[in-house]
Amino acid sequence: MRAPIEWLRELTEVDPQAKGADVAATLVRVGLEEEDILGGEVTGPLVVGKVLERTPEEQKNGKTINWCQVDVGAANGTGEPQGIVCGAHNFDVGDLVAVILPGGVLPGNFEISARKTYGHVSAGMICSALELGLGEDHDGIIVLTEYLADRPEVLAALTPGDDLIPVLGLDAETVEVNVTPDRGYCLSMRGIAREYALSEGTPFVDPADIVVAPATGPGHEVRLDDEAPVDGVPGCDRFVARVVRGIDASAPSPTWMRRRLTEVGMRPISLAVDVTNYVMMLLGQPLHAYDLAKLGGAIEVRRARAGETLMTLDDVERTLDPADLLITDGGTTPLAIAGVMGGATSEVDETTTDVLVEAAHFDQVTVARSSRRHRLTTEASKRFERGVDPAVAAAAAQLAVDLLVEHGGGTADDAATDIGSVAEPATIPFDPALPSRYIGLDYPRDEVVETLTRIGCTVVDSGESLLVTPPTWRPDLGDGPDLVEEVARVRGYDQIPSVVPRATAGRGLTHGQRARRTVARTLAATGLVEVLSYPFTSSERHDAFGYSADDPRRTTVRLANPLQDEAPIMRTSILDTLLDTLRRNVSRGHRDVGLYEIGLVTAGGITPLPLPPGGVLPAAPTLQQITDGVPPQPRHVAIAAAGAALAAGPHGPARSVDPTDVVGWVRAIGDSIGVELGVEAAQREPFHPGRCVAVSVPGGAVVGHAGELHPKVCSRLELPERTVAAEVDLDAIVAASGEPVKPAQLSTQPVANTDVALVVDEGVPAAVVAAALRSGAGDDLESLTLFDVYRGDQVGEGRKSLAYRLTFRSGRTLTTDEVSALRDRAVASAASATGAQQR
């Protein structure tokens, strides 16, 4: 919300010497965050000029320019007329105009200098409203006798050479503040001024405190017929309609109104539209003006019907939803989406003479849903969905009528319409000691009562507690903690000390948190780079991975409102999105890439869940049903790499990443938190069927897979050939880690190494053979390493030779015979379990 300081001065006392930064600091003290300070963009000599000569000159391109001699008094240092080229034609000799001389700067940091153009040296510029940032008009330059027609005393005092910057208000500053959703009343000058007065302790002049002319009878017929209120709340609970007849359609908006609309960031359009926008920015009550001649009957407020459409004022034909609240003509023709935008059929235009002014109060939820449904955010919808003061509707309509009569020459009907019933704010029982307990500072009872009264609440002292009724413009105040926040912010958030809580002994990170951090550091230490990707994907990615039709990874949650239409479902695997990140990096020149990501996946679809009404706590069975219906979201860690694992150098040529690298990274995950992960040959999409392993925790439960991606997957996803990847369930691995592992005491006895080579069928996994060897070797086996795999004529077709090194260590020195006996026991175990034969 932009708040011009000069406008603010009309509603509360502002120090005459206060600058934009001072006003912003005052508003920050009561919780309104400063966004920017605007104004003062025009600098240098901007002066009154009187046109002495105007000579039209036609150019070769068909354009006619005016070579002018302009009297700028002593502003140019010589008193001589200033020669200026001007392309506008809406002025003549004798007119007073706005002239910026060389050295001046216009908005956008556009510096003016004397330059040759159209055969003349133009020493300055005769300015339009657009060039000075005073409006959108660029069809002609500012003629001061017209622009200041509503300020005759100012116009009469102007002479050539006078400084125009203060006259046109170009030295005025505007403070822009960020209004949070719970402070919708601050989307108006009324609300901003109220907060400024609250912060400074100055008087506040309420612009809504005006006399509303009593109606002599019912005005234009209005019917409220909401057959489908949201959560029992009617879409419209108050509708004020006033009629002004005989408006001069060509009457311009007053200069001060156009200037103020420009200062708050709105574009002046026409008198009727400008008046409704001005009142909205002043009071926070959105208004709408209808051309009365285009209405065929009574106004009816109702929900949309299936198949209805509306051409809105932005020239877009919109298909309406049955939940949309409409303003209709006699209940048949839609005129507007209530609280969002009007329709073209009843638009006020240059032929309009009779205007119906609407000032209504619409339900926040209804307006917010229509705004999002049609992706249409307007100044009106922003205010209604944050809460508009229902008590201000009649005053807003009266102010709009008065302005139309004053500046458009119209006549207001004595009859008026004001229907509906607005619920009164609920009274809140409030313990005055609550602010002290919540904030940790001493807030005396008298200060609490005074503060709540100053923000507009009605406070009744009932003894031990207070009965507080919030003002109509504060729908965000609903309970005790809301009132505590008001007490704290009015004294000042800066008064609350920053105290860091002291950690209780024995507390800190959980085992899972420590484990996840350890895994992240371990993978980063191996040279991988951590990334984060959005957890949204598509069924086309499942097709690219080659999932079968009944693969459970195809079952997931579909988003009702996805960020991208191309990614409407939750991922069931981190590789769904991590591989996109890998491809993007490779496409941008990073040929050797290794990435990892730790994140959540959605395991399974969501069952139909109950939709309890808003505003009330659902019953315990309903909450349990909702909780049970949400699919599990385990935390996974995924790895993807392509290119070289070892770059070329003096040591030799580069080595490309292969499945052993990614398996090593996965094993490092387990090693870092004390879990020995097992690997076994497996087949699983999207991996190469012969270069994939299943990863398991002690006990045999499979927690993930690693290996080389299938060549077809690499082709479909435009990944480099031989890309490797892995994904494991990190939660399952952490759960298997249990308590921290206690280190075993190091033995001082020597090790005894012995090697065995076993021939097994090709289909027997090396991991199974290793497990059998380990089982037979006994407790003195310290380590078991596969160091060679041989296939060839010496072992026969369909067979392979696996060479293992067994390292034994005991509490004493082992003899050769003892080591041989342990080895033979291990070989016998492997032969029994796998049919292995020793070479």
Side-chain angles (χ1 to χ4, degrees), residues 758 760 764-765 767-776 825-837:
L758 303 177
V760 296
V764 177
V768 173
V769 177
L773 288 170
R774 188 175 287 108
S775 174
R825 284 169 47 191
V827 171
S829 175
S832 174
T834 66
Q837 297 177 354

Side-chain angles (χ1 to χ4, degrees), residues 266-589:
M266 303 195 76
R267 181 171 62 89
I269 298 175
S270 64
L271 178 62
V273 176
D274 292 350
V275 164
T276 58
N277 285 338
Y278 170 78
V279 174
M280 176 179 67
M281 302 309 292
L282 176 62
L283 301 182
Q285 168 68 57
L287 305 177
H288 191 69
Y290 299 90
D291 188 332
L292 190 62
K294 297 177 182 178
L295 301 182
I299 286 178
E300 181 175 303
V301 184
R302 61 167 174 82
R303 299 286 170 172
R305 297 170 184 145
E308 283 189 301
T309 60
L310 173 66
M311 179 71 75
T312 47
L313 291 174
D314 56 356
D315 295 327
V316 175
E317 185 172 8
R318 303 183 185 275
T319 300
L320 302 173
D321 187 273
D324 290 331
L325 189 70
L326 302 181
I327 312 297
T328 65
D329 188 358
T332 56
T333 305
L335 300 175
I337 302 175
V340 181
M341 183 176 281
T345 57
S346 58
E347 180 180 7
V348 173
D349 56 29
E350 62 276 0
T351 64
T352 300
T353 57
D354 300 338
V355 172
L356 183 146
V357 176
E358 163 209 303
H361 183 256
F362 300 115
D363 173 44
Q364 296 175 239
V365 175
T366 294
V367 173
R369 290 181 179 178
S370 290
S371 174
R372 284 153 181 73
R373 187 179 298 116
H374 295 285
R375 298 183 180 180
L376 185 61
T377 300
T378 62
E379 294 293 337
S381 71
K382 285 192 294 186
R383 285 161 176 79
F384 277 122
E385 67 181 62
R386 287 164 174 79
V388 169
D389 183 1
V392 82
Q398 181 68 55
L399 182 55
V401 166
D402 293 344
L403 290 170
L404 288 172
V405 170
E406 179 182 356
H407 300 288
T411 302
D413 282 3
D414 293 332
T417 301
D418 189 348
I419 65 170
S421 177
V422 178
E424 294 295 327
T427 298
I428 305 169
F430 183 64
D431 181 356
L434 203 61
S436 298
R437 295 205 306 268
Y438 273 30
I439 307 302
L441 297 178
D442 181 29
Y443 291 93
R445 185 188 186 97
D446 291 345
E447 180 184 349
V448 172
V449 173
E450 180 188 2
T451 299
L452 295 178
T453 303
R454 287 174 61 198
I455 67 172
C457 295
T458 300
V459 183
V460 176
D461 194 334
S462 63
E464 292 186 1
S465 66
L466 305 175
L467 297 178
V468 182
T469 304
T472 54
W473 61 84
R474 293 298 303 271
D476 58 304
L477 300 180
D479 55 23
D482 291 337
L483 299 178
V484 169
E485 182 180 359
E486 293 300 298
V487 173
R489 79 177 181 88
V490 171
R491 181 190 284 190
Y493 291 136
D494 57 336
Q495 301 299 310
I496 302 174
S498 299
V499 179
V500 178
R502 181 173 296 177
T504 305
R507 301 293 178 87
L509 297 178
T510 64
H511 171 63
Q513 290 171 327
R514 288 195 300 270
R516 289 194 292 272
R517 293 189 181 188
T518 298
V519 168
R521 287 194 298 267
T522 298
L523 292 178
T526 65
L528 300 176
V529 177
E530 184 175 15
V531 297
L532 293 175
S533 58
Y534 285 116
F536 313 121
T537 186
S538 66
S539 56
E540 286 76 14
R541 177 53 47 86
H542 299 162
D543 296 337
F545 280 180
Y547 293 168
S548 61
D550 58 350
D551 194 309
R553 288 173 292 178
R554 285 186 178 271
T555 304
T556 185
V557 175
R558 181 169 292 274
L559 301 171
N561 186 24
L563 292 178
Q564 292 180 303
D565 292 337
E566 298 80 7
I569 61 177
M570 300 294 290
R571 68 185 178 189
T572 55
S573 165
I574 295 183
L575 291 180
D576 290 345
T577 53
L578 179 61
L579 293 179
D580 283 334
T581 306
L582 179 68
R583 182 187 66 245
R584 189 176 301 113
N585 279 273
V586 171
S587 68
R588 295 180 180 177

